[in-house]
Amino acid sequence: MKTPLFIVLLGPPGAGKGTQAKRLAQALGLVHISTGDLFREHLKNETVLGQLAQSFMSKGELVPDDVTIKMVEERLAQPDCEQGAVLDGFPRTPAQAESLQDLLSQFGVGVKVAPLIAVPDDVLVERLSGRWMSTSGRVYHALYNPPAVKWIDDVDGSELYQRDDDKPETVRHRIEVYREQTAPLIDYFLKKGLLVEIDGTQAIDCVTENLMKAVKEA
Ligand code: ADP
Ligand code: AMP
């Protein structure tokens, strides 16, 4: 059996983690685990966890660590994670990073590489204000990654929507939360020798190419 491969994509909201995580997961034959998508799925299914998460997500705050870690633990226990995963939006706090290390020890591995997709704040606001989502998780942008038909998902024809937390005032708060609570992880992964900074302002294909290179060289 191949050694499982776990990749952590770091970066502020709007950096392109979701866009790139899907591409990497497909190219490497791994699952894509987005904690934001998992919370949104719970919300859609009207679970207790979904309602709890929504009270934090709508304000641009982080969902408490214990709840988030338990959800990831359950996800990683599923058989499709045996070969590894591309983690997107997790860990987001030092406590989550420590828990991830514990969780991965059951696979006999640690995080292989933690690319940081770096994008300046003004670009993030522009990206998130033009982000169009499909209910199946695909991500478009009004200008930079438009669907063939405006507001319609290319793959399943469903109507696209804008996330409530992509409103400019919530976006600004999410960026602050990132700087305060998540940015310390840059140093955490740097000290472990796992951080690779990638210029996230380049075109989507170019960012994918650089990420694939970082993974291959890890
Ligand atoms: P994150 O998951 O980090 O919040 P997304 O992958 O959802 O970010 O990307 C945010 C928005 O920016 C989306 O609308 C996406 O289509 C767009 N986007 C992603 N990468 C790029 C890029 N390299 N150049 C321009 N737009 C991008
Ligand atoms: P995202 O889809 O990654 O932008 O996440 C959307 C929202 O979900 C965040 O603003 C948080 O409220 C919540 N969330 C996602 N991942 C985490 C996490 N690892 N820890 C805490 N909250 C999270």
Side-chain angles (χ1 to χ4, degrees):
M1 209 173 90
K2 280 205 313 210
T3 311
L5 173 61
F6 289 92
I7 299 165
V8 166
L9 282 191
L10 295 170
K17 299 181 301 298
T19 302
Q20 298 297 336
K22 285 185 192 68
R23 290 167 158 236
L24 287 193
Q26 188 165 21
L28 298 165
L30 302 175
V31 291
H32 165 209
I33 301 181
S34 153
T35 38
D37 284 352
L38 290 175
F39 285 133
R40 282 183 287 278
E41 191 66 28
H42 274 281
L43 184 65
K44 197 168 83 187
N45 295 332
E46 298 180 351
T47 69
V48 175
L49 173 57
Q51 276 159 19
L52 173 84
Q54 170 65 0
S55 63
F56 294 93
M57 291 167 84
S58 61
K59 290 182 283 192
E61 299 284 344
L62 295 185
V63 179
D65 281 340
D66 54 344
V67 177
T68 306
I69 291 165
K70 186 161 170 278
M71 180 177 74
V72 172
E73 183 176 5
E74 286 170 6
R75 181 67 189 88
L76 287 174
Q78 289 171 23
D80 61 348
C81 295
E82 272 170 16
Q83 290 304 309
V86 182
L87 297 168
D88 152 20
F90 184 91
R92 251 175 160 106
T93 64
Q96 293 181 14
E98 293 296 343
S99 301
L100 178 63
Q101 189 164 321
D102 290 347
L103 291 172
L104 296 191
S105 66
Q106 294 160 24
F107 292 82
V109 294
V111 171
K112 182 76 175 169
V113 60
L116 166 67
I117 308 180
V119 174
D121 288 3
D122 53 334
V123 179
L124 298 175
V125 177
E126 202 200 350
R127 287 211 186 154
L128 294 178
S129 59
R131 174 159 69 179
W132 295 350
M133 307 281 296
S134 92
T135 45
S136 11
R138 272 175 293 279
V139 184
Y140 298 87
H141 190 280
L143 298 176
Y144 306 126
N145 186 24
V149 180
K150 264 190 186 178
W151 294 106
I152 300 292
D153 184 14
D154 288 344
V155 179
D156 62 17
S158 64
E159 203 172 327
L160 303 176
Y161 71 97
Q162 276 186 300
R163 274 170 50 174
D164 282 346
D165 59 349
D166 280 348
K167 290 192 295 276
E169 60 275 21
T170 319
V171 164
R172 275 189 284 275
H173 185 56
R174 285 164 60 207
I175 295 172
E176 276 167 24
V177 167
Y178 169 79
R179 300 276 173 236
E180 283 163 19
Q181 300 188 50
T182 307
L185 294 184
I186 297 172
D187 204 39
Y188 172 93
F189 284 109
L190 185 68
K191 286 195 174 121
K192 287 182 178 293
L194 299 173
L195 193 87
V196 183
E197 184 164 330
I198 305 282
D199 177 2
T201 62
Q202 294 172 298
I204 293 176
D205 284 345
C206 186
V207 178
T208 308
E209 213 174 288
N210 289 331
L211 283 167
M212 286 299 289
K213 204 153 82 189
V215 171
K216 288 200 174 113
E217 286 170 2

